[in-house]
Amino acid sequence: MIAQHPTALAMIEYLVAQRGFYFHGNLERKDAWHPDHQNKAQELAEIAVGLAGGIAHSFADQMFKPEIASRYFENARKQGAIMTINVEMKFKDEAGFEQNRTMRINTPGTRATNSMAMAVHAQFLEWAQVEMSDKNLISAVAVDAKSGKELFRSHYLSSDGAATG
């Protein structure tokens, strides 16, 4: 459907026309839509869901701007909705000795979720790529400090290229 409308304006005009057809049709029209013809509206529904999701996402993006994010984090802290995630990592230092280190990540939330686990993992990896670049990271395990629930477990290649763990 999108390929048939090469410009944004053409696509918008089509969506508006179809919206009128599907949502403001009446029985006197010869081409009126009927509930038993749902499949004809599938493309329009998929585009509408995509547009609605895009619009919602653009509004949600505002929440993560630095000035908003700090205010959001502070409000979460005041409400007691901050979780501490401990990331236990093993690595070999420059001399080849295995060491352990714990990184504490505070994040807004009251319970561990899959999206939180991925966000914390991404934050950890971003940090590790800079701070652990001169070390050989062996593994990392993230655990919610309060509940003990494991959020993620990662194993990395040893210095000889073999998997560890």
Side-chain angles (χ1 to χ4, degrees):
M1 179 170 64
I2 292 173
Q4 296 170 359
H5 302 90
T7 67
L9 183 58
M11 187 72 206
I12 291 168
E13 288 172 353
Y14 174 76
L15 290 174
V16 169
Q18 290 302 99
R19 182 195 168 278
F21 174 71
Y22 287 116
F23 301 109
H24 297 293
N26 60 51
L27 295 177
E28 295 175 14
R29 289 177 58 167
K30 292 179 183 176
D31 62 347
W33 174 77
H34 297 282
D36 58 330
H37 300 136
Q38 294 285 341
N39 59 340
K40 292 181 181 178
Q42 183 173 348
E43 286 181 335
L44 178 65
E46 289 172 352
I47 291 288
V49 166
L51 288 171
I55 291 167
H57 189 269
S58 71
F59 281 108
D61 277 350
Q62 301 301 312
M63 182 171 67
F64 297 102
K65 286 186 170 183
E67 62 274 9
I68 303 291
S70 61
R71 191 172 74 197
Y72 173 70
F73 196 83
E74 187 54 37
N75 284 338
R77 184 184 313 280
K78 287 178 185 175
Q79 300 298 319
I82 298 292
M83 294 175 60
T84 299
I85 309 301
N86 292 325
V87 181
E88 301 287 336
M89 61 192 102
K90 290 183 181 182
F91 62 94
K92 287 186 180 177
D93 63 17
E94 301 84 359
F97 294 106
E98 191 172 301
Q99 295 192 27
N100 297 318
R101 183 171 178 183
T102 301
M103 176 184 188
R104 294 172 55 95
I105 298 175
N106 291 321
T107 185
T110 56
R111 66 180 180 86
T113 64
N114 197 44
S115 61
M116 176 190 288
M118 287 189 283
V120 169
H121 197 182
Q123 184 178 348
F124 166 73
L125 289 173
E126 186 176 312
W127 173 86
Q129 286 176 334
V130 173
E131 300 298 325
M132 302 290 286
S133 63
D134 60 339
K135 296 167 183 61
N136 185 19
L137 189 58
I138 298 169
S139 65
V141 179
V143 177
D144 173 17
K146 186 174 182 182
S147 70
K149 184 173 188 175
E150 186 176 298
L151 277 75
F152 68 83
R153 177 180 296 268
S154 299
H155 295 276
Y156 304 95
L157 298 177
S158 66
S159 58
D160 64 3
T164 60

